[in-house]
Amino acid sequence: MNQMMNEIEDESLLKRQTRSNFIDEGNGGSAGGVALKKGPWTSAEDAILVDYVRKHGEGNWNAVQKHSGLSRCGKSCRLRWANHLRPNLKKGAFTAEEEQLIVELHAKMGNKWARMAAHLPGRTDNEIKNYWNTRIKRRQRAGLPTYPPEVQSMQESQHDQSSGGINGVNREPYDFLVKNSNAIFNSLKADQGVLPYVPKLPDISANSILLKGLGSSQNSNFAPSMLPHHKHHRESTVPFLGSGGMNNSGFYPFDHVWDSTFDTIAQSFGMQSPLDQCPSSQNSLCNSHSLSNGNSSASKPSFGAVKLELPSLQYPETDLGSWGTSPQPPLPKSVDVMIQSLPPTSALESDCSSPHNSGLLDALLHQAKTLSSSKNHYFDQSSNSSAATPGDRADSSTLNAYGTEWEEYIDPVSPFGATSILNEFPAVCANKSFLDERAPAQAQTLQGSIVKTESIDHDWTRSSEDQTMSMMNIAGPDVYLTSDWFEHGSWGGKNEAIMTDAIATLLGNDLATSSPSQLWGLDSGTWNNMPAVCHMSDLP
DNA sequence: AACGATGCCAACCGCGAGACT
DNA sequence: TAGTCTCGCGGTTGGCATCGT
């Protein structure tokens, strides 16, 4: 099977390479007399680079060319690694939530793509930049303002509230942060052993950070600290989470910090965010997420559109099994058929799926509303969850910065309407164990964090709110985050049997047969001997 | 079916900042 | 302290895919 896949992929690679005449060895400059290659990367080069990073870790990129024989400059290697090869990259179309966040972040930061990427775990600055540029072009062509009115007013309100924040009226989010961020930080610290690309977190408590500088930009934004940007101080003057970043409710920044943090944590464990749950009750459909072509641009239905996320099109034959990619299950033909036949009205399209379809601006407005609503709803419903504390719930109302209305979701004419979804996709909404439903999505990410679910998740969550939200209370990722199983470092490889059992419980036996050590390409001995916290350079 | 416009993506380039010598 | 190295960021370009006419 793998061989067949590789052959197919090789063919497409060859085709691509032939098309692009990519090798430009003559112009690539030289290092030490060796002509440096430019243009698209081959799978062989990828393999070399991956192997090098596995052995030596990230950094010292110029040494890659010297020591690995790769005819690429260090810059090129770094770029390739950061944008395509590093683990936990989220590929594919931006979710509506991410799009919304990008707009908001850009309103705050401008063209600071790297900083924006820090708030979008798994996304690269290049991706965001490309997205923004095309989006701006589109909007400018349409004669629309760069930012939706909500975002613009939010910007204005930030200035108005520059004296607000922790000492201001709205202290609740801060209290919540203090209460819960230590747990998050602890989780992240433990996570470092599992997630190769989560850099070392400073050994400080979130509490101290919050106390020291929630109002100061330097420390308040801990999302970037989870990323390997060692020089964040460079542009640390732009407030994001700090008091200057508060909106009218004072809760907006935390909303995003939570999203970002949660996403990071969830991704580290191959889980989806609460808004990104694999909703399907049919494993086939869920599995299809990892296999169908989900390269769903804004112009395509994104319902259930998730693709097998190869690091790139040029990445067909690199054996990344040791990086967490286990052989993918066979693709049921019916899955593709089903997905391709999905009517466009079900899509959570970024540009034109608003109920009114009156244009880009309306679509963005609609997005903002729906996203806000979904967040509110999740937090409201998951009252028993450790992820949704009373503070959360209390402040969920303040998430209504965009004047959201839950009723939109059950609007029968809305593309997000519960009835329409239920009617059109009965398989999606068939009743089944929530654990069973969640399993495939989690499994996909566990196998390498290279697949993701897309807006299908939002749609389904809304459409089957009653049953699913209650299930989330016991099955949400927060449960795992706060479990002893996690805290005590089982993920770090202390006990593979426990790990495997846990995965079996969570994912079902099929997927759990890939043990953690297998997922990481380690023999069980190595796995068991690994420290609870390890780093990529520790991996063989 | 052909063609142009547009979208999307990957990669390169130049520059600046910090680290190192 | 100055020069060099390394890294990361943002801007830009080029090529393929897709869409619309």
mmCIF file with all atom_site columns, all heavy atoms in Angstrom, chain A residues 19 60-61 75 114 129, chain C residues 6-8 10-11 16-17:
data_model
loop_
_atom_site.group_PDB
_atom_site.id
_atom_site.type_symbol
_atom_site.label_atom_id
_atom_site.label_alt_id
_atom_site.label_comp_id
_atom_site.label_asym_id
_atom_site.label_entity_id
_atom_site.label_seq_id
_atom_site.pdbx_PDB_ins_code
_atom_site.Cartn_x
_atom_site.Cartn_y
_atom_site.Cartn_z
_atom_site.occupancy
_atom_site.B_iso_or_equiv
_atom_site.pdbx_formal_charge
_atom_site.auth_seq_id
_atom_site.auth_comp_id
_atom_site.auth_asym_id
_atom_site.auth_atom_id
_atom_site.pdbx_PDB_model_num
ATOM 1   N N     . ARG A 1 19  ? 7.322  19.921 -15.020 1.00 0.00 ? 19  ARG A N     1
ATOM 2   C CA    . ARG A 1 19  ? 6.610  21.127 -15.430 1.00 0.00 ? 19  ARG A CA    1
ATOM 3   C C     . ARG A 1 19  ? 7.394  22.383 -15.084 1.00 0.00 ? 19  ARG A C     1
ATOM 4   O O     . ARG A 1 19  ? 7.453  23.328 -15.831 1.00 0.00 ? 19  ARG A O     1
ATOM 5   C CB    . ARG A 1 19  ? 5.255  21.163 -14.740 1.00 0.00 ? 19  ARG A CB    1
ATOM 6   C CG    . ARG A 1 19  ? 4.179  20.454 -15.458 1.00 0.00 ? 19  ARG A CG    1
ATOM 7   C CD    . ARG A 1 19  ? 2.865  20.946 -14.944 1.00 0.00 ? 19  ARG A CD    1
ATOM 8   N NE    . ARG A 1 19  ? 2.733  20.816 -13.498 1.00 0.00 ? 19  ARG A NE    1
ATOM 9   C CZ    . ARG A 1 19  ? 2.032  19.876 -12.918 1.00 0.00 ? 19  ARG A CZ    1
ATOM 10  N NH1   . ARG A 1 19  ? 1.419  18.974 -13.625 1.00 0.00 ? 19  ARG A NH1   1
ATOM 11  N NH2   . ARG A 1 19  ? 1.936  19.830 -11.624 1.00 0.00 ? 19  ARG A NH2   1
ATOM 12  N N     . ASN A 1 60  ? 21.262 26.450 13.318  1.00 0.00 ? 60  ASN A N     1
ATOM 13  C CA    . ASN A 1 60  ? 22.528 26.270 12.609  1.00 0.00 ? 60  ASN A CA    1
ATOM 14  C C     . ASN A 1 60  ? 22.286 25.778 11.192  1.00 0.00 ? 60  ASN A C     1
ATOM 15  O O     . ASN A 1 60  ? 22.859 24.787 10.738  1.00 0.00 ? 60  ASN A O     1
ATOM 16  C CB    . ASN A 1 60  ? 23.410 25.287 13.376  1.00 0.00 ? 60  ASN A CB    1
ATOM 17  C CG    . ASN A 1 60  ? 24.878 25.482 13.038  1.00 0.00 ? 60  ASN A CG    1
ATOM 18  O OD1   . ASN A 1 60  ? 25.242 26.452 12.356  1.00 0.00 ? 60  ASN A OD1   1
ATOM 19  N ND2   . ASN A 1 60  ? 25.719 24.583 13.486  1.00 0.00 ? 60  ASN A ND2   1
ATOM 20  N N     . TRP A 1 61  ? 21.457 26.491 10.530  1.00 0.00 ? 61  TRP A N     1
ATOM 21  C CA    . TRP A 1 61  ? 20.981 26.001 9.242   1.00 0.00 ? 61  TRP A CA    1
ATOM 22  C C     . TRP A 1 61  ? 22.078 25.942 8.194   1.00 0.00 ? 61  TRP A C     1
ATOM 23  O O     . TRP A 1 61  ? 22.030 25.139 7.269   1.00 0.00 ? 61  TRP A O     1
ATOM 24  C CB    . TRP A 1 61  ? 19.825 26.874 8.762   1.00 0.00 ? 61  TRP A CB    1
ATOM 25  C CG    . TRP A 1 61  ? 18.627 26.754 9.635   1.00 0.00 ? 61  TRP A CG    1
ATOM 26  C CD1   . TRP A 1 61  ? 18.143 27.680 10.500  1.00 0.00 ? 61  TRP A CD1   1
ATOM 27  C CD2   . TRP A 1 61  ? 17.757 25.621 9.748   1.00 0.00 ? 61  TRP A CD2   1
ATOM 28  N NE1   . TRP A 1 61  ? 17.023 27.223 11.147  1.00 0.00 ? 61  TRP A NE1   1
ATOM 29  C CE2   . TRP A 1 61  ? 16.770 25.948 10.697  1.00 0.00 ? 61  TRP A CE2   1
ATOM 30  C CE3   . TRP A 1 61  ? 17.722 24.371 9.165   1.00 0.00 ? 61  TRP A CE3   1
ATOM 31  C CZ2   . TRP A 1 61  ? 15.751 25.076 11.056  1.00 0.00 ? 61  TRP A CZ2   1
ATOM 32  C CZ3   . TRP A 1 61  ? 16.712 23.494 9.520   1.00 0.00 ? 61  TRP A CZ3   1
ATOM 33  C CH2   . TRP A 1 61  ? 15.746 23.846 10.455  1.00 0.00 ? 61  TRP A CH2   1
ATOM 34  N N     . LYS A 1 75  ? 19.322 29.240 4.568   1.00 0.00 ? 75  LYS A N     1
ATOM 35  C CA    . LYS A 1 75  ? 18.049 29.943 4.537   1.00 0.00 ? 75  LYS A CA    1
ATOM 36  C C     . LYS A 1 75  ? 16.953 29.074 3.946   1.00 0.00 ? 75  LYS A C     1
ATOM 37  O O     . LYS A 1 75  ? 15.841 28.990 4.461   1.00 0.00 ? 75  LYS A O     1
ATOM 38  C CB    . LYS A 1 75  ? 18.201 31.187 3.650   1.00 0.00 ? 75  LYS A CB    1
ATOM 39  C CG    . LYS A 1 75  ? 18.290 32.472 4.387   1.00 0.00 ? 75  LYS A CG    1
ATOM 40  C CD    . LYS A 1 75  ? 18.371 33.575 3.352   1.00 0.00 ? 75  LYS A CD    1
ATOM 41  C CE    . LYS A 1 75  ? 18.121 34.908 3.998   1.00 0.00 ? 75  LYS A CE    1
ATOM 42  N NZ    . LYS A 1 75  ? 18.177 35.971 2.998   1.00 0.00 ? 75  LYS A NZ    1
ATOM 43  N N     . ALA A 1 114 ? 4.793  36.890 11.121  1.00 0.00 ? 114 ALA A N     1
ATOM 44  C CA    . ALA A 1 114 ? 5.340  35.909 12.063  1.00 0.00 ? 114 ALA A CA    1
ATOM 45  C C     . ALA A 1 114 ? 4.627  36.004 13.408  1.00 0.00 ? 114 ALA A C     1
ATOM 46  O O     . ALA A 1 114 ? 4.341  34.989 14.049  1.00 0.00 ? 114 ALA A O     1
ATOM 47  C CB    . ALA A 1 114 ? 6.841  36.136 12.240  1.00 0.00 ? 114 ALA A CB    1
ATOM 48  N N     . LYS A 1 129 ? 0.516  35.205 5.292   1.00 0.00 ? 129 LYS A N     1
ATOM 49  C CA    . LYS A 1 129 ? 0.819  36.304 4.378   1.00 0.00 ? 129 LYS A CA    1
ATOM 50  C C     . LYS A 1 129 ? 0.154  36.088 3.027   1.00 0.00 ? 129 LYS A C     1
ATOM 51  O O     . LYS A 1 129 ? -0.468 36.996 2.477   1.00 0.00 ? 129 LYS A O     1
ATOM 52  C CB    . LYS A 1 129 ? 2.345  36.399 4.227   1.00 0.00 ? 129 LYS A CB    1
ATOM 53  C CG    . LYS A 1 129 ? 2.817  37.507 3.339   1.00 0.00 ? 129 LYS A CG    1
ATOM 54  C CD    . LYS A 1 129 ? 4.340  37.613 3.415   1.00 0.00 ? 129 LYS A CD    1
ATOM 55  C CE    . LYS A 1 129 ? 5.021  36.305 3.079   1.00 0.00 ? 129 LYS A CE    1
ATOM 56  N NZ    . LYS A 1 129 ? 6.487  36.390 3.174   1.00 0.00 ? 129 LYS A NZ    1
ATOM 57  P P     . DT  C 2 6   ? 27.734 31.025 9.950   1.00 0.00 ? 6   DT  C P     1
ATOM 58  O OP1   . DT  C 2 6   ? 28.254 29.728 10.436  1.00 0.00 ? 6   DT  C OP1   1
ATOM 59  O OP2   . DT  C 2 6   ? 27.631 31.307 8.509   1.00 0.00 ? 6   DT  C OP2   1
ATOM 60  O "O5'" . DT  C 2 6   ? 26.307 31.255 10.603  1.00 0.00 ? 6   DT  C "O5'" 1
ATOM 61  C "C5'" . DT  C 2 6   ? 26.203 31.379 12.021  1.00 0.00 ? 6   DT  C "C5'" 1
ATOM 62  C "C4'" . DT  C 2 6   ? 24.795 31.801 12.403  1.00 0.00 ? 6   DT  C "C4'" 1
ATOM 63  O "O4'" . DT  C 2 6   ? 24.641 33.214 12.159  1.00 0.00 ? 6   DT  C "O4'" 1
ATOM 64  C "C3'" . DT  C 2 6   ? 23.683 31.100 11.611  1.00 0.00 ? 6   DT  C "C3'" 1
ATOM 65  O "O3'" . DT  C 2 6   ? 22.887 30.365 12.518  1.00 0.00 ? 6   DT  C "O3'" 1
ATOM 66  C "C2'" . DT  C 2 6   ? 22.914 32.234 10.928  1.00 0.00 ? 6   DT  C "C2'" 1
ATOM 67  C "C1'" . DT  C 2 6   ? 23.319 33.453 11.740  1.00 0.00 ? 6   DT  C "C1'" 1
ATOM 68  N N1    . DT  C 2 6   ? 23.336 34.743 10.993  1.00 0.00 ? 6   DT  C N1    1
ATOM 69  C C2    . DT  C 2 6   ? 22.625 35.817 11.495  1.00 0.00 ? 6   DT  C C2    1
ATOM 70  O O2    . DT  C 2 6   ? 21.978 35.767 12.515  1.00 0.00 ? 6   DT  C O2    1
ATOM 71  N N3    . DT  C 2 6   ? 22.720 36.955 10.731  1.00 0.00 ? 6   DT  C N3    1
ATOM 72  C C4    . DT  C 2 6   ? 23.436 37.122 9.554   1.00 0.00 ? 6   DT  C C4    1
ATOM 73  O O4    . DT  C 2 6   ? 23.441 38.189 8.956   1.00 0.00 ? 6   DT  C O4    1
ATOM 74  C C5    . DT  C 2 6   ? 24.146 35.954 9.095   1.00 0.00 ? 6   DT  C C5    1
ATOM 75  C C7    . DT  C 2 6   ? 24.934 36.018 7.834   1.00 0.00 ? 6   DT  C C7    1
ATOM 76  C C6    . DT  C 2 6   ? 24.069 34.835 9.826   1.00 0.00 ? 6   DT  C C6    1
ATOM 77  P P     . DC  C 2 7   ? 21.734 29.451 11.988  1.00 0.00 ? 7   DC  C P     1
ATOM 78  O OP1   . DC  C 2 7   ? 21.604 28.310 12.916  1.00 0.00 ? 7   DC  C OP1   1
ATOM 79  O OP2   . DC  C 2 7   ? 21.879 29.222 10.540  1.00 0.00 ? 7   DC  C OP2   1
ATOM 80  O "O5'" . DC  C 2 7   ? 20.485 30.407 12.216  1.00 0.00 ? 7   DC  C "O5'" 1
ATOM 81  C "C5'" . DC  C 2 7   ? 20.350 31.077 13.473  1.00 0.00 ? 7   DC  C "C5'" 1
ATOM 82  C "C4'" . DC  C 2 7   ? 19.298 32.141 13.373  1.00 0.00 ? 7   DC  C "C4'" 1
ATOM 83  O "O4'" . DC  C 2 7   ? 19.790 33.239 12.565  1.00 0.00 ? 7   DC  C "O4'" 1
ATOM 84  C "C3'" . DC  C 2 7   ? 17.986 31.693 12.734  1.00 0.00 ? 7   DC  C "C3'" 1
ATOM 85  O "O3'" . DC  C 2 7   ? 16.964 31.763 13.699  1.00 0.00 ? 7   DC  C "O3'" 1
ATOM 86  C "C2'" . DC  C 2 7   ? 17.757 32.676 11.568  1.00 0.00 ? 7   DC  C "C2'" 1
ATOM 87  C "C1'" . DC  C 2 7   ? 18.702 33.828 11.897  1.00 0.00 ? 7   DC  C "C1'" 1
ATOM 88  N N1    . DC  C 2 7   ? 19.252 34.557 10.727  1.00 0.00 ? 7   DC  C N1    1
ATOM 89  C C2    . DC  C 2 7   ? 19.032 35.937 10.595  1.00 0.00 ? 7   DC  C C2    1
ATOM 90  O O2    . DC  C 2 7   ? 18.378 36.521 11.442  1.00 0.00 ? 7   DC  C O2    1
ATOM 91  N N3    . DC  C 2 7   ? 19.552 36.571 9.525   1.00 0.00 ? 7   DC  C N3    1
ATOM 92  C C4    . DC  C 2 7   ? 20.260 35.906 8.621   1.00 0.00 ? 7   DC  C C4    1
ATOM 93  N N4    . DC  C 2 7   ? 20.756 36.583 7.584   1.00 0.00 ? 7   DC  C N4    1
ATOM 94  C C5    . DC  C 2 7   ? 20.498 34.509 8.738   1.00 0.00 ? 7   DC  C C5    1
ATOM 95  C C6    . DC  C 2 7   ? 19.978 33.875 9.800   1.00 0.00 ? 7   DC  C C6    1
ATOM 96  P P     . DG  C 2 8   ? 15.593 31.087 13.433  1.00 0.00 ? 8   DG  C P     1
ATOM 97  O OP1   . DG  C 2 8   ? 15.088 30.557 14.710  1.00 0.00 ? 8   DG  C OP1   1
ATOM 98  O OP2   . DG  C 2 8   ? 15.698 30.217 12.250  1.00 0.00 ? 8   DG  C OP2   1
ATOM 99  O "O5'" . DG  C 2 8   ? 14.701 32.353 13.036  1.00 0.00 ? 8   DG  C "O5'" 1
ATOM 100 C "C5'" . DG  C 2 8   ? 14.728 33.479 13.907  1.00 0.00 ? 8   DG  C "C5'" 1
ATOM 101 C "C4'" . DG  C 2 8   ? 14.070 34.653 13.221  1.00 0.00 ? 8   DG  C "C4'" 1
ATOM 102 O "O4'" . DG  C 2 8   ? 14.958 35.171 12.197  1.00 0.00 ? 8   DG  C "O4'" 1
ATOM 103 C "C3'" . DG  C 2 8   ? 12.742 34.343 12.529  1.00 0.00 ? 8   DG  C "C3'" 1
ATOM 104 O "O3'" . DG  C 2 8   ? 11.767 35.236 13.016  1.00 0.00 ? 8   DG  C "O3'" 1
ATOM 105 C "C2'" . DG  C 2 8   ? 13.034 34.550 11.038  1.00 0.00 ? 8   DG  C "C2'" 1
ATOM 106 C "C1'" . DG  C 2 8   ? 14.203 35.525 11.067  1.00 0.00 ? 8   DG  C "C1'" 1
ATOM 107 N N9    . DG  C 2 8   ? 15.099 35.457 9.914   1.00 0.00 ? 8   DG  C N9    1
ATOM 108 C C8    . DG  C 2 8   ? 15.702 34.336 9.406   1.00 0.00 ? 8   DG  C C8    1
ATOM 109 N N7    . DG  C 2 8   ? 16.465 34.575 8.372   1.00 0.00 ? 8   DG  C N7    1
ATOM 110 C C5    . DG  C 2 8   ? 16.355 35.941 8.187   1.00 0.00 ? 8   DG  C C5    1
ATOM 111 C C6    . DG  C 2 8   ? 16.940 36.783 7.227   1.00 0.00 ? 8   DG  C C6    1
ATOM 112 O O6    . DG  C 2 8   ? 17.716 36.477 6.299   1.00 0.00 ? 8   DG  C O6    1
ATOM 113 N N1    . DG  C 2 8   ? 16.559 38.111 7.393   1.00 0.00 ? 8   DG  C N1    1
ATOM 114 C C2    . DG  C 2 8   ? 15.723 38.572 8.377   1.00 0.00 ? 8   DG  C C2    1
ATOM 115 N N2    . DG  C 2 8   ? 15.457 39.872 8.390   1.00 0.00 ? 8   DG  C N2    1
ATOM 116 N N3    . DG  C 2 8   ? 15.150 37.794 9.285   1.00 0.00 ? 8   DG  C N3    1
ATOM 117 C C4    . DG  C 2 8   ? 15.518 36.503 9.128   1.00 0.00 ? 8   DG  C C4    1
ATOM 118 P P     . DG  C 2 10  ? 7.059  40.091 10.065  1.00 0.00 ? 10  DG  C P     1
ATOM 119 O OP1   . DG  C 2 10  ? 6.495  41.084 10.990  1.00 0.00 ? 10  DG  C OP1   1
ATOM 120 O OP2   . DG  C 2 10  ? 6.456  38.760 9.912   1.00 0.00 ? 10  DG  C OP2   1
ATOM 121 O "O5'" . DG  C 2 10  ? 7.150  40.743 8.608   1.00 0.00 ? 10  DG  C "O5'" 1
ATOM 122 C "C5'" . DG  C 2 10  ? 7.868  41.958 8.464   1.00 0.00 ? 10  DG  C "C5'" 1
ATOM 123 C "C4'" . DG  C 2 10  ? 8.066  42.250 6.993   1.00 0.00 ? 10  DG  C "C4'" 1
ATOM 124 O "O4'" . DG  C 2 10  ? 9.000  41.289 6.439   1.00 0.00 ? 10  DG  C "O4'" 1
ATOM 125 C "C3'" . DG  C 2 10  ? 6.800  42.165 6.129   1.00 0.00 ? 10  DG  C "C3'" 1
ATOM 126 O "O3'" . DG  C 2 10  ? 6.705  43.335 5.347   1.00 0.00 ? 10  DG  C "O3'" 1
ATOM 127 C "C2'" . DG  C 2 10  ? 7.006  40.907 5.285   1.00 0.00 ? 10  DG  C "C2'" 1
ATOM 128 C "C1'" . DG  C 2 10  ? 8.520  40.822 5.200   1.00 0.00 ? 10  DG  C "C1'" 1
ATOM 129 N N9    . DG  C 2 10  ? 9.035  39.480 5.004   1.00 0.00 ? 10  DG  C N9    1
ATOM 130 C C8    . DG  C 2 10  ? 8.684  38.341 5.693   1.00 0.00 ? 10  DG  C C8    1
ATOM 131 N N7    . DG  C 2 10  ? 9.325  37.275 5.299   1.00 0.00 ? 10  DG  C N7    1
ATOM 132 C C5    . DG  C 2 10  ? 10.164 37.736 4.311   1.00 0.00 ? 10  DG  C C5    1
ATOM 133 C C6    . DG  C 2 10  ? 11.101 37.036 3.514   1.00 0.00 ? 10  DG  C C6    1
ATOM 134 O O6    . DG  C 2 10  ? 11.393 35.825 3.532   1.00 0.00 ? 10  DG  C O6    1
ATOM 135 N N1    . DG  C 2 10  ? 11.750 37.890 2.608   1.00 0.00 ? 10  DG  C N1    1
ATOM 136 C C2    . DG  C 2 10  ? 11.521 39.236 2.508   1.00 0.00 ? 10  DG  C C2    1
ATOM 137 N N2    . DG  C 2 10  ? 12.234 39.884 1.592   1.00 0.00 ? 10  DG  C N2    1
ATOM 138 N N3    . DG  C 2 10  ? 10.644 39.900 3.240   1.00 0.00 ? 10  DG  C N3    1
ATOM 139 C C4    . DG  C 2 10  ? 10.011 39.093 4.116   1.00 0.00 ? 10  DG  C C4    1
ATOM 140 P P     . DG  C 2 11  ? 5.555  43.526 4.339   1.00 0.00 ? 11  DG  C P     1
ATOM 141 O OP1   . DG  C 2 11  ? 5.114  44.923 4.461   1.00 0.00 ? 11  DG  C OP1   1
ATOM 142 O OP2   . DG  C 2 11  ? 4.573  42.424 4.464   1.00 0.00 ? 11  DG  C OP2   1
ATOM 143 O "O5'" . DG  C 2 11  ? 6.291  43.352 2.934   1.00 0.00 ? 11  DG  C "O5'" 1
ATOM 144 C "C5'" . DG  C 2 11  ? 7.479  44.116 2.704   1.00 0.00 ? 11  DG  C "C5'" 1
ATOM 145 C "C4'" . DG  C 2 11  ? 8.052  43.775 1.347   1.00 0.00 ? 11  DG  C "C4'" 1
ATOM 146 O "O4'" . DG  C 2 11  ? 8.636  42.450 1.398   1.00 0.00 ? 11  DG  C "O4'" 1
ATOM 147 C "C3'" . DG  C 2 11  ? 7.032  43.757 0.205   1.00 0.00 ? 11  DG  C "C3'" 1
ATOM 148 O "O3'" . DG  C 2 11  ? 7.561  44.462 -0.912  1.00 0.00 ? 11  DG  C "O3'" 1
ATOM 149 C "C2'" . DG  C 2 11  ? 6.835  42.273 -0.090  1.00 0.00 ? 11  DG  C "C2'" 1
ATOM 150 C "C1'" . DG  C 2 11  ? 8.175  41.671 0.322   1.00 0.00 ? 11  DG  C "C1'" 1
ATOM 151 N N9    . DG  C 2 11  ? 8.086  40.293 0.785   1.00 0.00 ? 11  DG  C N9    1
ATOM 152 C C8    . DG  C 2 11  ? 7.264  39.801 1.772   1.00 0.00 ? 11  DG  C C8    1
ATOM 153 N N7    . DG  C 2 11  ? 7.408  38.521 1.976   1.00 0.00 ? 11  DG  C N7    1
ATOM 154 C C5    . DG  C 2 11  ? 8.387  38.148 1.076   1.00 0.00 ? 11  DG  C C5    1
ATOM 155 C C6    . DG  C 2 11  ? 8.963  36.866 0.832   1.00 0.00 ? 11  DG  C C6    1
ATOM 156 O O6    . DG  C 2 11  ? 8.708  35.790 1.384   1.00 0.00 ? 11  DG  C O6    1
ATOM 157 N N1    . DG  C 2 11  ? 9.931  36.918 -0.168  1.00 0.00 ? 11  DG  C N1    1
ATOM 158 C C2    . DG  C 2 11  ? 10.290 38.058 -0.844  1.00 0.00 ? 11  DG  C C2    1
ATOM 159 N N2    . DG  C 2 11  ? 11.240 37.911 -1.774  1.00 0.00 ? 11  DG  C N2    1
ATOM 160 N N3    . DG  C 2 11  ? 9.762  39.254 -0.635  1.00 0.00 ? 11  DG  C N3    1
ATOM 161 C C4    . DG  C 2 11  ? 8.824  39.220 0.336   1.00 0.00 ? 11  DG  C C4    1
ATOM 162 P P     . DC  C 2 16  ? 4.671  25.394 -14.416 1.00 0.00 ? 16  DC  C P     1
ATOM 163 O OP1   . DC  C 2 16  ? 5.610  24.314 -14.729 1.00 0.00 ? 16  DC  C OP1   1
ATOM 164 O OP2   . DC  C 2 16  ? 4.196  26.326 -15.475 1.00 0.00 ? 16  DC  C OP2   1
ATOM 165 O "O5'" . DC  C 2 16  ? 3.381  24.751 -13.729 1.00 0.00 ? 16  DC  C "O5'" 1
ATOM 166 C "C5'" . DC  C 2 16  ? 3.513  24.137 -12.460 1.00 0.00 ? 16  DC  C "C5'" 1
ATOM 167 C "C4'" . DC  C 2 16  ? 2.183  24.154 -11.730 1.00 0.00 ? 16  DC  C "C4'" 1
ATOM 168 O "O4'" . DC  C 2 16  ? 1.855  25.507 -11.356 1.00 0.00 ? 16  DC  C "O4'" 1
ATOM 169 C "C3'" . DC  C 2 16  ? 1.006  23.633 -12.565 1.00 0.00 ? 16  DC  C "C3'" 1
ATOM 170 O "O3'" . DC  C 2 16  ? 0.313  22.637 -11.820 1.00 0.00 ? 16  DC  C "O3'" 1
ATOM 171 C "C2'" . DC  C 2 16  ? 0.154  24.873 -12.818 1.00 0.00 ? 16  DC  C "C2'" 1
ATOM 172 C "C1'" . DC  C 2 16  ? 0.495  25.760 -11.628 1.00 0.00 ? 16  DC  C "C1'" 1
ATOM 173 N N1    . DC  C 2 16  ? 0.339  27.212 -11.865 1.00 0.00 ? 16  DC  C N1    1
ATOM 174 C C2    . DC  C 2 16  ? -0.488 27.963 -11.024 1.00 0.00 ? 16  DC  C C2    1
ATOM 175 O O2    . DC  C 2 16  ? -1.076 27.393 -10.105 1.00 0.00 ? 16  DC  C O2    1
ATOM 176 N N3    . DC  C 2 16  ? -0.622 29.292 -11.264 1.00 0.00 ? 16  DC  C N3    1
ATOM 177 C C4    . DC  C 2 16  ? 0.024  29.859 -12.275 1.00 0.00 ? 16  DC  C C4    1
ATOM 178 N N4    . DC  C 2 16  ? -0.131 31.173 -12.459 1.00 0.00 ? 16  DC  C N4    1
ATOM 179 C C5    . DC  C 2 16  ? 0.881  29.117 -13.134 1.00 0.00 ? 16  DC  C C5    1
ATOM 180 C C6    . DC  C 2 16  ? 1.010  27.804 -12.902 1.00 0.00 ? 16  DC  C C6    1
ATOM 181 P P     . DA  C 2 17  ? -0.971 21.980 -12.432 1.00 0.00 ? 17  DA  C P     1
ATOM 182 O OP1   . DA  C 2 17  ? -0.975 20.592 -11.938 1.00 0.00 ? 17  DA  C OP1   1
ATOM 183 O OP2   . DA  C 2 17  ? -1.059 22.264 -13.890 1.00 0.00 ? 17  DA  C OP2   1
ATOM 184 O "O5'" . DA  C 2 17  ? -2.149 22.770 -11.709 1.00 0.00 ? 17  DA  C "O5'" 1
ATOM 185 C "C5'" . DA  C 2 17  ? -2.089 22.935 -10.295 1.00 0.00 ? 17  DA  C "C5'" 1
ATOM 186 C "C4'" . DA  C 2 17  ? -3.402 23.502 -9.780  1.00 0.00 ? 17  DA  C "C4'" 1
ATOM 187 O "O4'" . DA  C 2 17  ? -3.425 24.939 -10.001 1.00 0.00 ? 17  DA  C "O4'" 1
ATOM 188 C "C3'" . DA  C 2 17  ? -4.657 22.953 -10.457 1.00 0.00 ? 17  DA  C "C3'" 1
ATOM 189 O "O3'" . DA  C 2 17  ? -5.679 22.788 -9.476  1.00 0.00 ? 17  DA  C "O3'" 1
ATOM 190 C "C2'" . DA  C 2 17  ? -5.007 24.033 -11.483 1.00 0.00 ? 17  DA  C "C2'" 1
ATOM 191 C "C1'" . DA  C 2 17  ? -4.509 25.309 -10.816 1.00 0.00 ? 17  DA  C "C1'" 1
ATOM 192 N N9    . DA  C 2 17  ? -4.006 26.332 -11.730 1.00 0.00 ? 17  DA  C N9    1
ATOM 193 C C8    . DA  C 2 17  ? -3.103 26.166 -12.730 1.00 0.00 ? 17  DA  C C8    1
ATOM 194 N N7    . DA  C 2 17  ? -2.824 27.275 -13.386 1.00 0.00 ? 17  DA  C N7    1
ATOM 195 C C5    . DA  C 2 17  ? -3.602 28.233 -12.760 1.00 0.00 ? 17  DA  C C5    1
ATOM 196 C C6    . DA  C 2 17  ? -3.767 29.612 -12.980 1.00 0.00 ? 17  DA  C C6    1
ATOM 197 N N6    . DA  C 2 17  ? -3.118 30.289 -13.921 1.00 0.00 ? 17  DA  C N6    1
ATOM 198 N N1    . DA  C 2 17  ? -4.614 30.285 -12.177 1.00 0.00 ? 17  DA  C N1    1
ATOM 199 C C2    . DA  C 2 17  ? -5.255 29.600 -11.219 1.00 0.00 ? 17  DA  C C2    1
ATOM 200 N N3    . DA  C 2 17  ? -5.193 28.303 -10.916 1.00 0.00 ? 17  DA  C N3    1
ATOM 201 C C4    . DA  C 2 17  ? -4.334 27.673 -11.734 1.00 0.00 ? 17  DA  C C4    1
#
